[in-house]
Amino acid sequence: MNDVTNVQSPMPEDQWDRRDELAANLADVRARISAAEVAAYRPAGSVQLVAVTKTWPAEDVALLSSLGIVDVAENRHQEAVAKHDRLRDLNLRWHFIGQLQRNKCRAVAQYADVVESVDRIELVAALDRGAQECERQIDVLIQVDLQEPPEPHRGGTASADIPGLVEALMTSQSLKLTGVMAVAPLGADPRPAFDRLYAMYQGLKDQCPDVTVMSAGMSDDLEEAVFAGTTHIRIGTAVLGRRPKVG
Ligand SMILES: *Cc1c(COP(=O)(O)O)cnc(C)c1O
C-alpha cells in the first residue's frame, strides 16, 4: 500500500502554473482549429497540430507531452538535440523546421522523425547517409518558397526546382517524401499563397503514394491554412507564449 501522506508531487509548484497556462493555450488553439474546420466544411480532426517549441525549455516540452501533444518542432540543431536527449523516453515525434546546412544533416538525422525544411538537392544525400548510418527512416517534406518573386535566403525551393528534389527523394534509401511545407509570404495575403501550396501538394500526391502532408499555418494565419486545405499546422506563440528575443 502507498503511504499517501508520504507521496510528494514530482512537479514543482511553478511547473503546475505553467502546465495550467499551456493547457489553457492549447484549449484555445484547439477551439480555433475546430472552428476553422467547421467553417471550411472539413471533417473534425482533419488538421493536425504540431507544437513549435523552439526557444522554450525541455520542461515545457515535457508538459506539452503530458497534455497530449506528440508532434513537436525545433529549428536549431544544437537546441533540438539537447532537448531530444533529455526527453528521449517520452512518446514524441520530433520535427526539424529550420534552415539546414549540409554539414548538420547527418546529426539531425540521428533524432529527427520528420525533416520539414528540405529545399536543396545537396541536403538529400547527406540526410539519407545520416539516416542509413543509424538505420532509421525519416519522413521528409519539401519546403517551398511562396514569396513572389522568390527569396531564397528565407529558405524554401522555387517551384521550378521541385521535380529534381522529388526525383532525388524518391530514389533515396532511407528518406520518405511525405509532403510539402511553407511559410506564408511576408507582407502578402497568405490565402492565395496557401492555395498555391495546396495545388503543389495535390500534384505531388498524384505522383507519389506516400504524400499525405501539407504543413502550413502558424499562430497568426492558421485559419487561412485550414481553409486552403492544410493537413498540419505549426503553432508556437499561441501555445507557448511570446518567445524571448534570441540573438
Ligand atoms: C517559429 C516557426 C513557427 C511558429 O510560429 P508562431 O508564429 O510562433 O506560431 C512555424 N513554422 C516555422 C518554420 C517557424 O520557424
Side-chain angles (χ1 to χ4, degrees):
M1 281 281 284
N2 284 334
D3 179 357
V4 194
T5 56
N6 232 353
V7 173
Q8 282 196 326
S9 163
M11 215 189 270
E13 209 151 298
D14 59 330
Q15 287 277 84
W16 281 107
D17 293 344
R18 181 60 169 154
R19 191 175 191 277
D20 288 347
E21 186 184 347
L22 292 176
N25 291 348
L26 269 179
D28 287 346
V29 169
R30 292 201 193 284
R32 280 176 66 188
I33 297 171
S34 299
E37 285 170 344
V38 169
Y41 301 102
R42 298 188 53 190
S46 50
V47 178
Q48 180 84 28
L49 171 62
V50 177
V52 178
T53 48
K54 65 188 185 195
T55 75
W56 298 100
E59 285 77 9
D60 282 348
V61 184
L63 289 173
L64 288 175
S65 170
S66 79
L67 292 164
I69 289 288
V70 174
D71 290 282
V72 295
E74 291 284 336
N75 72 337
R76 285 169 185 239
H77 165 63
Q78 293 297 344
E79 188 184 336
V81 73
K83 287 180 205 173
H84 174 268
D85 285 353
R86 279 194 52 192
L87 303 174
R88 55 169 71 248
D89 295 337
L90 299 180
N91 175 35
L92 291 167
R93 241 169 97 74
W94 295 86
H95 296 238
F96 192 85
I97 60 171
Q99 289 197 32
L100 267 171
Q101 289 158 291
R102 192 170 52 155
N103 63 2
K104 293 279 165 61
C105 284
R106 215 174 123 190
V108 168
Q110 312 275 316
Y111 60 84
D113 299 294
V114 188
V115 178
E116 298 203 12
S117 45
V118 172
D119 61 359
R120 304 190 298 290
I121 277 190
E122 63 167 16
L123 302 177
V124 174
L127 273 176
D128 195 25
R129 203 169 333 113
Q132 284 175 57
E133 269 170 17
C134 43
E135 293 175 9
R136 305 181 71 232
Q137 205 196 41
I138 300 175
D139 288 358
V140 165
L141 307 184
I142 294 176
Q143 183 177 351
V144 177
D145 184 359
L146 294 177
Q147 201 81 34
E148 285 187 319
E151 240 181 85
H153 68 272
R154 287 185 73 213
T157 188
S159 45
D161 297 331
I162 294 178
L165 260 179
V166 171
E167 170 73 21
L169 285 164
M170 300 270 275
T171 52
S172 72
Q173 294 275 309
S174 303
L175 307 179
K176 184 161 96 174
L177 173 60
T178 56
V180 290
M181 179 274 234
V183 176
L186 280 176
D189 183 359
R191 186 56 209 278
F194 289 156
D195 286 344
R196 280 190 282 130
L197 185 68
Y198 183 77
M200 294 177 207
Y201 163 58
Q202 290 297 328
L204 211 53
K205 225 174 153 62
D206 293 340
Q207 249 180 295
C208 19
D210 291 329
V211 167
T212 54
V213 177
M214 166 172 160
S215 172
M218 321 203 298
S219 294
D220 290 337
D221 55 22
L222 79 85
E223 284 81 5
E224 284 87 347
V226 172
F227 267 89
T230 199
T231 64
H232 288 64
I233 56 174
R234 309 177 307 270
I235 307 295
T237 309
V239 169
L240 289 128
R242 203 159 290 284
R243 282 181 290 279
K245 279 258 186 294
V246 286

